[in-house]
Amino acid sequence: MRLSRYFLPVLKENPSEAQIASHRLMLRAGMIKQQQAGIYSWLPLGYKVLRRIEQIVHEEQIRAGHIPVLMPTMQSAELWQESGRYDAYGPEMLRIKDRHGRDMLYGPTNEEMITDIFRAHVESYKSLPMTLYQIQWKFRDEVRPRFGVMRGREFFMKDGYSFDLTREDALHAYNRHMVSYLRTYERMGLTAIPMRADSGPIGGDNTHEFLVLAPTGESEVFYDSNVTDLTLGNREVDYDNREEVEAICKEFTTLYARTDETHDEAIFNEVPEERRKSARGIEVGQIFYFGTKYSESMGAVVQTPDGSKVPVEMGSHGIGVSRLVGALIEANHDDKGIIWPEGVTPFHVGIVNLKQGDAACDSACDALYAALVKAGLDPLYDDRNERAGAKFATMDLIGLPWRITVGPRGLAANKVELTSRRSGESEEMSAEAAVAKIIEIYAPHR
């Protein structure tokens, strides 16, 4: 993409309504535009990041053996009345009547609908285990939407639902989701800590939230500092191996890590004092095991090997895809702008032409652009007739991890400049070497 042909409405001044870094930088970098309180249009740059995150979530869900579906945003109130949640959910649910006077709602979550789909098509234990998931828009009518996409009313999320014959099977599904979530966040360059949490209106006894540490987080968290050093790394995981998956979950949940809702001061005090930490955290996902809460009330039963019928054991598992965009920025920015991790960057590298219109510079930039595209990478070429300072400021603001700068002086020595956005360090090298370096950097992310 050439910047002269791209829609990137950057702002020079900080928007007065933005209270936190991610909201401020998403507006300044032309990623979103507010349409109403808590409701945003996603402009090209923001939409590109949203799709990068969505793709990672899809890949890790499918790797874990989960099956994608797509359900409607509008739901019938009858399903929620059947489960008993229609009146209990509260004013966050947007309730609507259609033209025929039927009660409808804009889905805040989909436990009822997925249970209805399951009970209509699955009758035998032979179809289990099964996990169905979607990535879809949701709506919760927050009383005080704020912080941009971090606490909006309309949001994009992955919601998955596991169906199993026994409690033991369902707990394996729970563990499988925890491991797949850990890998998902690591691929995005995030340290997301699983913390024992409260189940809220979803219900259930077993639940963990995944929180990213940030000063602007809505939750107070307490944790053993050693938990931030844990990583899956490059290890291969057999999601069908119960012992292996359970061992990884124990590795990541044995050290103390809890939100304020489940914090236990006595247990926390057993952690060595130098490792006892408290901070703020941003919730980016949550997993629940709630047994037969919905299957019993809605008649989702299967036949067992002995011919009897039992309600299926269920779990619900969510990742805030649009919220992750804000969380990533909160964890990766400086006073110049965003610093995208390589796994989620909207463009892999920026090309800055210091002398647009100069035949040698134009030719070199065109050749760089073509070589990067041929390698399967996605460069952004700043070919505008702007001052060098303005071009650098734009690249710093939108946060591409790498920048290749092309100018007459460097070309005279057959050199371009490769700069890391995170460290600020630059290195001069040939154009061919710069392309090879970028290809090498992104190899683990493809």
Side-chain angles (χ1 to χ4, degrees), residues 39-52:
I39 301 176
Y40 294 88
S41 289
W42 289 78
L43 306 183
L45 193 74
Y47 184 61
K48 208 165 172 61
V49 175
L50 191 68
R51 288 304 182 200
R52 297 268 196 221

Side-chain angles (χ1 to χ4, degrees), residues 42-330:
W42 289 78
L43 306 183
L45 193 74
Y47 184 61
K48 208 165 172 61
V49 175
L50 191 68
R51 288 304 182 200
R52 297 268 196 221
I53 293 171
E54 180 186 9
Q55 184 60 33
I56 291 173
V57 174
H58 270 304
E59 289 172 2
E60 292 305 325
Q61 286 300 295
I62 291 169
R63 189 200 297 253
H66 306 158
I67 305 168
V69 298
L70 186 63
M71 291 176 276
T73 57
M74 299 301 301
Q75 301 184 33
S76 167
E78 290 180 2
L79 290 175
W80 286 67
Q81 290 163 349
E82 200 175 336
S83 73
R85 278 208 301 175
Y86 186 67
D87 295 319
Y89 198 90
E92 289 78 21
M93 181 191 290
L94 182 62
R95 302 157 201 263
I96 305 163
K97 285 187 182 292
D98 69 10
R99 66 191 300 164
H100 301 291
R102 291 176 296 220
D103 289 321
M104 308 285 288
L105 58 101
Y106 192 135
T109 184
N110 281 73
E111 282 80 10
E112 284 80 3
M113 184 171 287
I114 200 72
T115 304
D116 180 56
I117 291 170
F118 179 90
R119 71 183 177 183
H121 299 286
V122 180
E123 298 179 348
S124 170
Y125 74 95
K126 295 177 182 179
S127 297
L128 304 179
M130 180 185 295
T131 293
L132 304 174
Y133 80 93
Q134 68 168 352
I135 301 179
Q136 176 64 291
W137 292 99
K138 300 283 189 295
F139 189 92
R140 293 176 191 164
D141 200 3
E142 293 276 355
V143 65
R144 190 184 169 203
R146 55 195 175 126
F147 302 156
V149 301
M150 297 288 289
R151 187 173 289 181
R153 293 192 294 164
E154 185 182 58
F155 53 95
F156 199 48
M157 76 170 288
K158 173 261 165 180
D159 48 317
Y161 306 92
S162 55
F163 301 89
D164 291 277
L165 182 61
T166 68
R167 172 182 168 84
E168 292 71 26
D169 295 341
L171 290 175
H172 173 59
Y174 184 93
N175 292 341
R176 192 174 66 240
H177 276 84
M178 179 176 290
V179 175
S180 70
Y181 278 27
L182 290 169
R183 188 186 291 281
T184 298
Y185 298 126
E186 281 190 22
R187 283 187 60 187
M188 296 176 191
L190 283 174
T191 299
I193 306 169
M195 298 192 178
R196 178 70 64 180
D198 181 68
S199 62
I202 302 292
D205 299 324
N206 290 62
T207 181
H208 280 83
E209 288 180 352
F210 293 79
L211 289 105
V212 174
L213 301 179
T216 52
E218 69 270 65
S219 301
E220 186 175 12
V221 299
F222 302 84
Y223 62 98
D224 181 330
S225 62
N226 282 2
V227 78
T228 60
D229 297 326
L230 298 175
T231 177
L232 277 176
N234 295 322
R235 71 180 99 170
E236 289 295 327
V237 179
D238 179 359
Y239 284 102
D240 292 325
N241 186 322
R242 297 192 179 202
E243 292 73 21
E244 180 183 358
V245 171
E246 183 178 4
I248 294 173
C249 291
K250 285 184 178 179
E251 177 186 345
F252 279 81
T253 59
T254 297
L255 294 173
Y256 191 93
R258 297 194 182 190
T259 63
D260 53 353
E261 296 166 319
T262 58
H263 177 55
D264 187 314
E265 194 69 28
I267 300 175
F268 189 51
N269 285 336
E270 295 175 8
V271 177
E273 184 176 1
E274 68 276 11
R275 288 167 29 199
R276 290 200 298 264
K277 303 293 181 182
S278 63
R280 309 296 297 180
I282 300 168
E283 182 198 339
V284 291
Q286 189 163 5
I287 57 177
F288 304 85
Y289 161 64
F290 44 66
T292 59
K293 173 181 170 68
Y294 297 94
S295 57
E296 280 190 347
S297 62
M298 297 184 68
V301 299
V302 294
Q303 189 172 36
T304 67
D306 64 11
S308 62
K309 291 189 175 182
V310 297
V312 290
E313 299 278 339
M314 292 178 58
S316 175
H317 318 280
I319 290 179
V321 176
S322 54
R323 170 178 272 242
L324 271 166
V325 180
L328 279 157
I329 295 172
E330 291 294 329

Side-chain angles (χ1 to χ4, degrees), residues 352-355 358-368 404-417 428-432:
V352 172
N353 188 338
L354 293 182
K355 195 172 183 181
D358 177 82
C361 288
D362 291 354
S363 177
C365 287
D366 287 341
L368 272 169
I404 300 175
T405 305
V406 179
R409 185 178 301 174
L411 286 180
N414 194 31
K415 301 285 187 182
V416 298
E417 186 178 68
E428 289 192 340
M429 61 184 71
S430 69
E432 295 76 14

